[in-house]
Amino acid sequence: GAAQVDIEQPAGAAELRQEGEETVLVLQPSCADCAAELGSTGGLLYVDLRRTPRRQAPAGRDQPREAQAAAPAASPRGRRGQAEPPPAAEDLTGLRESILGKLNLLNAAPAPRPPGQGGTSPSGTSPSGATPGAAGPGGATPPAAAPGQPLPNPRFGPSSEAAPKPPCLAPPFSFRDWAGRQPYLEELVARRAGLALSDQGLAEMASMAEFYAIHEMPREALDVLSAPVAESAPPELRARLERARDIARILGRQRIDPGSVLLAEAADCARPDLPLWRGLAAALTGDAPALARHAPQIRALLRDVPPDLRIAFAHVLSDAVEEDVETLRVLVATVRTMTDLRPDQQVVRNWLLSRQARLEGNRADEMMYLERAARGRSVAALYARARLAALNLMRQDAEGQRAEQALIDFARTYRHDPLGEESAILYAQRLLERGDLGAALRVADEASQASARPTMESRAARLAAQALRLLLVDARGLTLPPAGERLALYWQYEGYATPGERGDDIRLGAARLMLDQGLPDAALEASRQLAAATIAQPDGALLQARAEALAEQGDPLRALALLQPLPASDPAKRIAALALSRLGKPLEGAQALAGLDELADRQARAALLFQGQAWGEAATAYAELLRESSLDPPTRSEATARLASAAALARPRVALPGELLAPEGSAAALLRLSDNTAPAPPRGVAAARQAISRSRQIEQVLPAPPAAPATPGRN
């Protein structure tokens, strides 16, 4: 049935139940002033609960938690009228995790309840309070889940061996005190003075590093934290220092240790902030799939991050998203409506919005956001200018020439920086679209060699592989260079053909071109690099069999073995004939070519019959071949000579076609002399005289032997 989300008065829990044909999820927020936002992304339905800001703190806000718990409940009643005490504000995060877990249940229809196991109440629950369809083997009903915890589901929930941890009541740390309560300059002076007076005290060091990190100064924070920490330092203080160091590394686009305190699991509960740090760690390592998995949770968690860090984290996360428009849209949504931004932050937001517009195919919005971002002086503004130059590169005017020169300058000036690498990739992409495949390969190779980032290396490699596919697999309407130049480019950049089955289409195209150019040994080497799955396909098996049959170092027996499981086809017959000929079985090879009508196949079959000394069949094959008017003179002359020889040696005699004997000329005369259909020759002296006369006639018909070359030093 349809899924319905019903938000009740706050009672601090969530419940899934069946009402008729509908599965109803009842949300009971823990605060009366919470705002709910419903949305979906990537097939996931999410509900974002957020406390609305208040002008005045409620009474008892600053009281200890024990005192608040002891106070009488005053929250409004739920639908059933039960009055429950409101949990603390930090429980809201745990409630979100509970809701996300329960939303997975909406993907599965309720299992039908066998008859005879009791009815259900109007609210969709059994008399014992269990959800219909949740009965275990033998009709036993599992225990109900605790309030606020995800309901057990054998299809989507964790296994019974590892029960999920309850959500932590609060995140392990807060950014609240990182910036201080004074204006920036006064706070900076106070923290520097405190660090100086403490003589590198660990608490003051952590406070100074946190101040630098919250204001997006990662280098200064890492410099403060460069002092060694004693082994006797308290664990809480050590964790605080490591946390500040890792956040500074994230802001500086440096990888963090997998054992970082930011990524550590809590011992007795599930950390609600963990997806954010896992997503940032995945972004720094280029793990786009992991980042996409955490994106919906990251979007909700970023709302609780201070504005400066929020846009900085969104920038780091978005840079790791390449062509995944859904993930980028989720991440950019966290900064789209931010206000009171600094000029450099406005540039970052416009740059991210331009990237989203590009992936969505909205060229007008992309140009608008790029022009806004290019007005700044930050690194993101330089990226925007490079992208604008790439968009203008295809113009056939002075603006296009300036854009090309700008990209070249960016690539050279910032060669070992991400901006130069990005400019080189954009330039190579435009060269590829223009059809200058050799230049595109060279630029992509330079960008890959100069980069130390896995994501940039993979982008350059994919671009080079795309150029190789245009050269060797599918030109897509481009004008390709000569075959020799294409092979030279392949041999120079063949390392970008992805190893394994993913790059086998490039190797197949290169091997075909090598065979067409008369390079069977090189084709054999390329074909032996194919994956087993590719060779199991008909195209791969035919190509490798052809290379094995033609190459001097090839194995004709392997060629025949590769052809055996394939269905009969003209290419397979030709390859089998080649392999059998190399194995010294020309007559079997000729038999394989029987029935093929192409002129080249008929020539090959006649040659194999002549080689196998099947004179009668060879004479017949050459006689049929000489009837073709499209034969070139050298081929016709060779076929005539072989026909004459085969006809003279054939037993029984073979009758030569009359139309081949009629024309005057040496070829016709040779065939008449070879015609053994005449009456039997006489015997004795007459036979000798006739043989001498016949030999003189043959000598006159045959071409004169070439003159011997003169020996140096002799007259």
Side-chain angles (χ1 to χ4, degrees):
Q4 173 184 345
V5 177
D6 184 8
I7 300 179
E8 299 189 359
Q9 294 296 328
E15 178 186 356
L16 185 69
R17 67 192 186 200
Q18 191 73 19
E19 293 185 358
E21 297 181 354
E22 293 185 347
T23 303
V24 179
L25 176 66
V26 181
L27 304 180
Q28 301 170 351
S30 60
C31 52
D33 55 349
C34 286
E37 177 183 352
L38 178 66
S40 63
T41 178
L44 174 67
L45 177 68
Y46 67 88
V47 179
D48 190 3
L49 296 178
R50 184 175 179 80
R51 184 183 295 276
T52 56
R54 287 184 172 184
R55 295 184 179 180
Q56 183 177 359
R61 178 69 178 271
D62 297 329
Q63 298 178 6
R65 184 169 299 179
E66 295 79 5
Q68 295 183 26
S75 60
R77 295 179 177 268
R79 177 174 293 183
R80 297 186 181 89
Q82 295 91 350
E84 300 181 5
E90 290 81 357
D91 292 347
L92 187 58
T93 304
L95 180 58
R96 292 179 186 171
E97 298 293 333
S98 174
I99 292 171
L100 289 174
K102 293 185 178 183
L103 285 176
N104 287 331
L105 300 176
L106 298 180
N107 296 327
R113 186 177 182 87
Q117 294 188 6
T120 57
S121 62
S123 63
T125 58
S126 63
S128 60
T131 304
T141 303
Q149 299 301 320
L151 298 177
N153 190 307
R155 185 175 177 185
F156 294 95
S159 63
S160 58
E161 298 178 358
K165 297 179 182 179
C168 299
L169 297 179
F173 75 100
S174 172
F175 291 103
R176 181 174 52 189
D177 297 329
W178 284 37
R181 300 183 180 181
Q182 305 180 69
Y184 171 79
L185 187 57
E186 287 80 355
E187 188 70 26
L188 176 62
V189 171
R191 296 203 183 193
R192 281 184 175 178
L195 179 60
L197 294 175
S198 67
D199 192 16
Q200 299 297 322
L202 297 183
E204 290 76 12
M205 185 188 303
S207 176
M208 190 75 251
E210 291 168 351
F211 180 81
Y212 282 136
I214 198 69
H215 288 97
E216 303 173 77
M217 293 186 286
R219 293 184 180 179
E220 290 78 0
L222 292 176
D223 184 61
V224 170
L225 296 170
S226 60
V229 179
E231 294 292 338
S232 59
E236 297 81 3
L237 191 54
R238 182 182 295 274
R240 182 181 175 188
L241 292 168
E242 293 179 2
R243 187 182 300 117
R245 179 182 293 107
D246 288 339
I247 291 178
R249 286 175 176 168
I250 291 173
L251 295 173
R253 309 299 178 94
Q254 301 178 21
R255 297 186 183 184
I256 61 176
D257 193 304
S260 167
V261 294
L262 292 177
L263 304 175
E265 292 273 5
D268 53 354
C269 60
R271 287 179 50 187
D273 63 329
L274 200 54
L276 173 61
W277 309 116
R278 286 178 175 172
L280 287 167
L284 294 173
T285 57
D287 190 354
L291 175 57
R293 289 194 302 269
H294 295 297
Q297 295 168 294
I298 292 173
R299 178 180 183 270
L301 292 170
L302 281 177
R303 296 182 181 275
D304 298 327
V305 175
D308 291 346
L309 285 185
R310 184 191 313 171
I311 195 167
F313 286 165
H315 194 188
V316 174
L317 293 164
S318 301
D319 280 353
V321 180
E322 297 180 0
E323 303 298 327
D324 187 356
V325 63
E326 291 296 332
T327 302
L328 185 63
R329 186 183 293 117
V330 171
L331 297 175
V332 174
T334 61
V335 300
R336 178 184 288 273
T337 58
M338 290 182 64
T339 57
D340 299 331
L341 297 178
R342 301 191 308 264
D344 61 309
Q345 293 175 334
Q346 294 177 2
V347 168
V348 170
R349 181 175 62 181
N350 287 324
W351 165 244
L352 297 181
L353 291 172
S354 72
R355 289 188 55 205
Q356 178 181 336
R358 176 177 65 85
L359 294 180
E360 292 173 344
N362 192 336
R363 182 57 60 87
D365 283 358
E366 181 186 7
M367 292 293 294
M368 177 185 68
Y369 288 123
L370 284 175
E371 290 173 355
R372 293 178 181 176
R375 299 170 188 166
R377 298 182 179 180
S378 62
V379 176
L382 294 176
Y383 275 95
R385 293 172 197 166
R387 177 64 185 169
L388 280 174
L391 293 176
N392 294 325
L393 189 61
M394 302 302 292
R395 297 178 56 174
Q396 304 297 327
D397 54 9
E399 185 64 28
Q401 296 177 0
R402 285 193 294 268
E404 181 173 357
Q405 189 59 45
L407 278 181
I408 294 174
D409 291 342
F410 277 127
R412 289 177 178 174
T413 305
Y414 305 98
R415 179 180 181 184
H416 296 284
D417 295 328
L419 175 59
E421 298 162 3
E422 184 71 23
S423 301
I425 291 295
L426 292 174
Y427 184 42
Q429 183 67 44
R430 293 308 174 191
L431 290 173
L432 200 64
E433 296 173 359
R434 186 188 295 175
D436 194 350
L437 304 181
L441 279 168
R442 184 182 67 256
V443 175
D445 178 63
E446 291 175 355
S448 175
Q449 296 297 327
S451 175
R453 296 186 300 161
T455 54
M456 184 59 64
E457 290 178 7
S458 62
R459 290 180 62 191
R462 286 198 300 270
L463 196 60
Q466 183 180 353
L468 290 174
R469 285 186 172 88
L470 291 173
L471 282 170
L472 301 168
V473 182
D474 184 5
R476 298 183 181 180
L478 296 177
T479 302
L480 297 179
E485 184 177 345
R486 291 160 62 194
L487 287 177
L489 289 172
Y490 169 74
W491 281 318
Q492 184 175 0
Y493 300 108
E494 63 178 322
Y496 289 105
T498 308
E501 191 175 354
R502 291 177 58 191
D504 279 348
D505 58 337
I506 298 176
R507 280 178 283 276
L508 282 171
R512 289 192 189 97
L513 187 58
M514 293 170 191
L515 289 173
D516 295 341
Q517 296 301 309
L519 300 171
D521 291 301
L524 178 62
E525 182 182 356
S527 69
R528 287 180 175 176
Q529 298 174 11
L530 299 174
T534 303
I535 298 175
Q537 300 297 323
D539 290 345
L542 283 174
L543 185 137
Q544 190 171 56
R546 184 184 173 194
E548 294 281 1
L550 284 173
E552 183 178 354
Q553 303 297 326
D555 185 357
L557 288 176
R558 174 168 172 75
L560 293 175
L562 289 169
L563 295 174
Q564 185 176 4
L566 299 180
S569 62
D570 292 352
K573 293 178 181 179
R574 297 184 184 104
I575 297 170
L578 287 172
L580 291 169
S581 175
R582 288 194 58 193
L583 289 172
K585 301 177 180 180
L587 294 181
E588 295 183 22
Q591 181 63 30
L593 293 174
L596 299 184
D597 296 331
E598 291 189 10
L599 183 59
D601 297 328
R602 293 161 57 192
Q603 285 181 259
R605 180 175 179 273
L608 288 174
L609 290 171
F610 191 89
Q611 181 184 351
Q613 300 182 5
W615 305 119
E617 295 182 44
T620 303
Y622 277 116
E624 294 177 356
L625 193 63
L626 286 172
R627 291 190 178 97
E628 294 289 339
S629 59
S630 59
L631 282 180
D632 54 82
T635 304
R636 183 174 294 277
S637 176
E638 181 183 0
T640 303
R642 290 196 172 194
L643 173 59
S645 301
L649 295 171
R651 294 294 183 272
R653 295 179 177 181
V654 178
L656 296 178
E659 63 270 17
L660 298 179
L661 302 176
E664 294 296 330
S666 60
L670 180 61
L671 292 177
R672 282 195 297 271
L673 291 174
S674 303
D675 186 9
N676 51 16
T677 60
R683 298 182 178 182
V685 177
R689 289 177 178 176
Q690 185 176 359
I692 293 172
S693 175
R694 183 183 179 88
S695 64
R696 288 177 178 175
Q697 293 175 359
I698 293 175
E699 288 178 357
Q700 293 175 359
V701 172
L702 292 175
T711 304
R714 295 184 181 181
N715 296 327

